[in-house]
Amino acid sequence: AQKITQTQPGMFVQEKEAVTLDCTYDTSDPSYGLFWYKQPSSGEMIFLIYQGSYDQQNATEGRYSLNFQKARKSANLVISASQLGDSAMYFCAMREGFQGAQKLVFGQGTRLTINP
Amino acid sequence: DSGVTQTPKHLITATGQRVTLRCSPRSGDLSVYWYQQSLDQGLQFLIQYYNGEERAKGNILERFSAQQFPDLHSELNLSSLELGDSALYFCASSVGGRGAGETQYFGPGTRLLVL
């Protein structure tokens, strides 16, 4: 079963606009963490933001914020005032619980292109 | 710069060969993870080590093996290579032992091409 779903294979946005990248997840574990990573064309994976399942407030990191809707099992990434350097692949990932495999499960990614 | 280093950055080899990928975690991190990124499979977890011991296995082939040394660096060994093993291999590290909220920081990856 797909645990992380990113339904937007590609998105095109004008520079300086805000953009929302969608992510839904599936888990029965009450304790989990949700992560967003950015992968530019150079290939490295850059950690952007984290949201814990017990966090009461949405996470924010600079221009990145996470719209966490627990009941809907969604964790959308919002990038405000987009810049040309934001063009990249974006991956949503989940890590479950305290026991067992501490692995990240990734979605298929969304390719974001910022147009000047 | 995440603080995680991986060598080599690129590797070109032939089918049937064996290669070793090396990873040094961030200072202070005890957990090391290996992931494979390919076009058809996406990003997949291979294996995790914590303080020298194997903690979890994912979709790792029997031809692949890994270890974490006392200085906490890790090596991923890929043998009897096939064309389908061509991929970007990431190492990630985290502090270790803090559960679901622990952030994994990724190295720059090793791009393997099997010809």
Side-chain angles (χ1 to χ4, degrees):
Chain A
Q2 187 77 10
K3 291 209 167 191
I4 296 285
T5 303
Q6 295 180 252
T7 57
Q8 308 151 309
M11 284 196 68
F12 295 84
V13 173
Q14 286 298 119
E15 190 179 8
K16 299 181 184 176
E17 288 184 352
V19 57
T20 298
L21 305 182
D22 295 341
C23 172
T24 57
Y25 60 92
D26 183 29
T27 181
S28 57
D29 197 318
S31 176
Y32 54 91
L34 296 159
F35 303 81
W36 278 91
Y37 288 85
K38 172 184 178 181
Q39 186 176 37
S41 57
S42 51
E44 71 268 32
M45 293 286 287
I46 302 168
F47 166 70
L48 295 178
I49 195 166
Y50 158 78
Q51 179 84 43
S53 59
Y54 295 116
D55 292 345
Q56 296 296 314
Q57 297 199 349
N58 288 339
T60 60
E61 288 285 349
R63 294 186 299 112
Y64 303 109
S65 60
L66 204 151
N67 184 0
F68 181 46
Q69 298 187 44
K70 195 170 183 177
R72 298 180 64 181
K73 293 189 175 180
S74 75
N76 299 338
L77 176 70
V78 180
I79 306 174
S80 63
S82 58
Q83 302 170 355
L84 296 178
D86 294 333
S87 294
M89 281 290 287
Y90 288 81
F91 291 94
C92 178
M94 179 174 66
R95 182 173 176 172
E96 295 173 298
F98 288 90
Q99 305 297 326
Q102 299 290 293
K103 64 179 181 181
L104 286 172
V105 176
F106 286 87
Q108 290 301 305
T110 295
R111 183 172 297 280
L112 176 64
T113 302
I114 308 297
N115 295 315
Chain B
D1 187 348
S2 66
V4 179
T5 61
Q6 288 187 250
T7 56
K9 286 190 176 179
H10 302 277
L11 202 47
I12 302 175
T13 189
T15 54
Q17 294 298 305
R18 171 189 168 96
V19 297
T20 298
L21 313 184
R22 195 178 191 279
C23 167
S24 292
R26 294 186 321 155
S27 177
D29 284 358
L30 298 179
S31 275
V32 169
Y33 313 78
W34 287 96
Y35 292 85
Q36 179 194 58
Q37 185 179 30
S38 61
L39 283 174
D40 53 346
Q41 299 285 339
L43 266 158
Q44 291 210 316
F45 168 75
L46 295 178
I47 197 164
Q48 178 201 357
Y49 281 83
Y50 174 75
N51 204 19
E53 296 193 359
E54 182 183 304
R55 173 64 66 89
K57 264 186 177 180
N59 299 321
I60 188 166
L61 300 172
E62 285 192 11
R63 301 182 285 108
F64 296 0
S65 65
Q67 54 184 326
Q68 187 180 27
F69 295 87
D71 67 352
L72 301 177
H73 91 271
S74 177
E75 292 181 357
L76 178 67
N77 300 296
L78 314 177
S79 61
S80 303
L81 285 167
E82 303 175 359
L83 296 178
D85 298 327
S86 296
L88 185 54
Y89 290 85
F90 285 109
C91 169
S93 75
S94 69
V95 173
R98 296 185 185 174
E102 200 169 288
T103 297
Q104 293 180 24
Y105 294 91
F106 282 70
T110 293
R111 196 172 294 275
L112 173 66
L113 179 59
V114 182
L115 299 175

